[in-house]
Amino acid sequence: EKVITSGPGDEQKKHDAALRPKLLKEVIGQRKVAERLEIAVRASKKLNEPLGHILFDGPPGLGKTTFATVLPNELGTSLQMTSGPALAKPADLLPFLTNLEEGSVLFIDEIHRMPRVVEEFIYPAMEDFRIDIVLGEGMSARTISMTLKRFTLIGATTRSGMLSGPMRDRFKMHEHLEFYSVDELATIATVNAAKLNTPITSQASLELARRSRGTPRVANSRLHWTRSFAAAQHDGTITEEVARAALDMAEVDRDGLDKNDRKYLETLIDLYGGGPTGVEALAATINLASDTLSDEIEPYLLREQYITRSPRGRVAMPRAYSALGKLPPAPKPK
Ligand code: ADP
């Protein structure tokens, strides 16, 4: 397998790569998505056609890159990886397009951050496996058309709403990834502890799973920390007691909320009276990028009903108050 990477977030990606499933059957959870992809892979092989372009969307750490790396393994083809922010101009795409092999996969992470000019440049590549290159300038400029190998574009986005309509329409499959159940995350913790040669009890896996924000990447990083903690403070085995102590020390609370989650809820409740408050105001107060809030922090808080979204902004729900050990405000008299 050939992997070419460029762009920001590479360190995280390398860290993720070690524990990433290699084949569809090793992917835990997301069964419906995995089953549809299995069908698509089988069809592509039987029909001898490249897999149709696929768009994955969902919050960070739920497996978009994992699916993108598993598919070329299933197809027996090569993979190239890049990201929207790394593709500032059409020429930045050229090395990837000229390196394509018949049926190979080009993965573009954060595809919603690709500039419009690059988007337009990629349309004919997606539709007809061809690109139009403009040579020269002004009167003497001419366009040459270049034929590409038939390939599969896999896009990943945390915000499918920010993708342009024409771009979205050019993907044959749209797969939305949802948060994982506690049981699924416990399986991931057990499987990955084995990969790291670390003994773990099933109760400890469940404890990690309950405190991982429904997210495999979070489960993996909590596992890494707990493993270090078990090695340093105990005999290396992760028991439920060890997992609890390790996560308490990491300031992950019993519901799995971390420091940023609590900071968010505290700010919303203490400074803004529980909202409604705009995300920009919250971001400025917490001193985090508003993208971080809306892409990484809020999706889980929304799904678990700590907060809700109203037309005028974010609003704290009763669960947010109890998570912080506060009483919710008395309902306003009618
Ligand atoms: P995304 O691209 O959506 O941000 P990744 O695909 O990079 O997320 O997933 C982050 C990490 O979580 C990966 O390294 C992988 O080990 C793990 N992971 C994600 N989804 C699964 C899954 N379904 N089964 C097992 N591990 C998973």
Side-chain angles (χ1 to χ4, degrees):
E1 174 187 320
K2 181 175 68 186
V3 179
I4 302 171
T5 45
S6 66
D10 281 357
E11 279 315 302
Q12 174 75 64
K13 297 285 167 201
K14 267 176 217 145
H15 187 76
D16 287 341
L19 293 177
R20 201 167 265 141
K22 301 274 182 295
L23 293 170
L24 275 175
K25 66 171 163 42
E26 295 166 28
V27 170
I28 295 153
Q30 311 285 356
R31 270 348 288 170
K32 291 260 161 56
V33 176
E35 278 165 22
R36 283 191 290 270
L37 293 173
E38 252 156 46
I39 300 275
V41 165
R42 210 176 307 150
S44 148
K45 285 182 179 167
K46 281 201 176 164
L47 300 172
N48 198 22
E49 285 173 8
L51 202 62
H53 308 306
I54 307 176
L55 180 67
F56 290 104
D57 80 82
L62 295 190
K64 299 181 293 297
T65 309
T66 299
F67 278 117
T69 54
V70 157
L71 287 169
N73 290 340
E74 293 281 348
L75 294 162
T77 94
S78 64
L79 167 68
Q80 300 183 85
M81 300 175 91
T82 183
S83 69
L87 301 170
K89 52 191 189 307
D92 295 330
L93 252 177
L94 279 177
F96 297 103
L97 296 177
T98 50
N99 266 330
L100 292 170
E101 294 169 340
E102 183 71 18
S104 69
V105 172
L106 172 60
F107 174 58
I108 305 183
D109 201 4
E110 299 186 75
I111 195 164
H112 61 277
R113 293 177 63 190
M114 207 163 66
R116 190 55 55 96
V117 282
V118 180
E119 216 178 78
E120 277 161 14
F121 179 69
I122 215 174
Y123 290 157
M126 292 176 79
E127 282 175 354
D128 307 323
F129 305 115
R130 155 183 85 72
I131 44 172
D132 298 316
I133 303 173
V134 182
L135 294 179
E137 276 171 30
M139 291 293 284
S140 62
R142 60 200 175 92
T143 304
I144 57 161
S145 191
M146 185 178 138
T147 309
L148 304 170
K149 298 269 170 53
R150 297 186 307 163
F151 73 108
T152 302
L153 181 70
I154 300 185
T157 177
T158 47
R159 308 236 191 136
S160 63
M162 270 177 65
L163 213 61
S164 76
M167 184 82 224
R168 205 177 337 189
D169 292 345
R170 283 172 172 81
F171 288 99
K172 296 247 167 62
M173 289 177 83
H174 293 197
E175 294 295 352
H176 174 69
L177 302 187
E178 256 309 317
F179 287 107
Y180 289 63
S181 71
V182 168
D183 283 343
E184 288 164 351
L185 289 174
T187 307
I188 290 175
T190 303
V191 167
N192 288 343
K195 284 188 191 167
L196 297 169
N197 290 316
T198 301
I200 188 166
T201 68
S202 53
Q203 288 310 312
S205 288
L206 278 170
E207 180 67 9
L208 281 171
R210 280 191 291 267
R211 295 166 75 170
S212 290
R213 302 180 94 254
T215 306
R217 177 179 293 138
V218 175
N220 285 344
S221 82
R222 309 269 205 256
L223 173 66
H224 273 290
W225 163 250
T226 306
R227 176 177 182 259
S228 303
F229 185 90
Q233 305 289 82
H234 299 273
D235 66 358
T237 300
I238 304 178
T239 62
E240 187 178 14
E241 203 188 347
V242 168
R244 281 221 173 105
L247 294 177
D248 287 349
M249 190 169 178
E251 295 178 67
V252 174
D253 74 16
R254 292 297 158 108
D255 293 322
L257 300 186
D258 61 24
K259 270 193 284 188
N260 279 342
D261 295 321
R262 287 194 303 275
K263 185 102 198 155
Y264 179 103
L265 296 177
E266 269 163 23
T267 307
L268 180 56
I269 289 173
D270 294 343
L271 248 82
Y272 294 99
T277 305
V279 67
E280 301 296 337
L282 282 167
T285 315
I286 307 174
N287 205 11
L288 284 174
S290 72
D291 280 1
T292 308
L293 258 56
S294 42
D295 289 359
E296 291 176 28
I297 300 180
E298 292 187 327
Y300 183 72
L301 298 180
L302 280 163
R303 161 166 116 171
E304 292 294 312
Q305 302 194 353
Y306 288 97
I307 57 169
T308 175
R309 248 193 288 230
S310 81
R312 289 188 299 136
R314 280 58 171 165
V315 180
M317 299 282 277
R319 192 172 182 194
Y321 291 86
S322 59
L324 299 179
K326 295 175 193 285
L327 284 175
K332 289 198 188 91
K334 293 231 166 91

